[in-house]
Amino acid sequence: MSKVAVIMGSTSDLPVMQDAVDILEGFDLEVEVDIVSAHRTPEKLFEYGKTAHERGIKVIIAGAGGAAHLPGMIASLSPLPVIGVPVKSSNSIDGWDSVLSILQMPGGVPVATVALDGAKNAGILAAQIIGSSDKCTLDKILVYKEGLKEKVIEGAKTVKK
């Protein structure tokens, strides 16, 4: 079974990052959740980034607020795809510091970046990455997308005159 890691800088990020965990579990993917602070536990960050692929992790979702170094630092250490989730935190400048810290990565160190507090989309993107080589996950994504379509069609019926 493919595993996705969902990591964050502190427990205060969990209310946002839980959306990624929930959507991944909805696709029946195994999820590893951990706190890995780029600034307070750099040794753990280095170990985590260098060894995640050895534990069967296929994609890493990293959420962080403020200066938001976690996604980029993990991407610099790991051969795995990294999806960054900027988190609007209490020490954030309206979330823009987090967005730009994750988005503006130097060439050679890519981080896919979703919207501010967009952990749900990060989970969907991680599942789509896994689904590109796992038919079972791909089939679940197709069903999910069809559900989105049906929800819009049903919603349209309630507003049409």
Side-chain angles (χ1 to χ4, degrees), residues 112-133:
T113 309
V114 296
L116 185 64
D117 292 343
K120 180 177 181 179
N121 275 353
I124 294 166
L125 180 56
Q128 289 174 318
I129 291 168
I130 290 170
S132 69
S133 62

Side-chain angles (χ1 to χ4, degrees), residues 14-98:
L14 186 56
V16 170
M17 299 305 291
Q18 187 64 46
D19 287 344
V21 174
D22 293 344
I23 199 82
L24 290 163
E25 288 177 344
F27 288 126
D28 296 320
L29 293 169
E30 188 176 344
V31 184
E32 176 181 290
V33 181
D34 205 351
I35 305 296
V36 182
S37 173
H39 303 114
R40 294 176 293 259
T41 60
E43 296 87 358
K44 182 176 181 178
L45 173 130
F46 272 73
E47 181 68 19
Y48 197 97
K50 289 181 177 183
T51 64
H53 65 283
E54 296 170 359
R55 293 191 311 281
I57 302 293
K58 301 297 182 196
V59 182
I60 300 172
I61 299 173
H69 290 113
L70 179 60
M73 287 302 298
I74 284 290
S76 75
L77 296 164
S78 178
L80 301 173
V82 175
I83 303 168
V85 179
V87 175
K88 186 176 180 183
S89 60
S90 61
N91 67 334
S92 183
I93 305 168
D94 237 11
W96 280 106
D97 47 349
S98 302

